[in-house]
Amino acid sequence: MERFPEGDPAQSLIEELLSRAAKKAGMDFYELLDIPQGDRRKYHDDVTVMVVSLEGRIWKSSGTYV
């Protein structure tokens, strides 16, 4: 949340996770996104991210990644 104070922290965490999965598979982030979702399971599991603010902040999430 400190790295992206104005953005959606859950979205940032998902993008980081996908970047790491792509790097581990020897490809870049966008190459991983080009793989159809059903076939992507070989590279990462389904992920849900929930960020709870103890300071009462509320973020509006787009519900999509990149």
Side-chain angles (χ1 to χ4, degrees):
M1 292 182 345
E2 291 175 4
R3 286 178 45 199
F4 304 100
E6 300 303 317
D8 178 355
Q11 183 73 28
S12 298
L13 291 169
I14 290 171
E15 290 172 10
E16 178 66 24
L17 173 102
L18 291 174
S19 292
R20 289 181 185 200
K23 184 177 179 181
K24 186 175 179 179
M27 60 182 82
D28 72 22
F29 178 78
Y30 294 102
E31 287 177 305
L32 181 64
L33 291 183
D34 285 340
I35 298 171
Q37 285 188 347
D39 296 334
R40 251 192 265 163
R41 186 170 292 282
K42 298 172 190 166
Y43 304 101
H44 67 82
D45 289 332
D46 293 339
V47 175
T48 299
V49 175
M50 179 183 294
V51 177
V52 177
S53 172
L54 301 178
E55 299 171 346
R57 290 187 61 185
I58 298 174
W59 296 273
K60 174 73 173 153
S61 177
S62 65
T64 61
Y65 50 86
V66 187

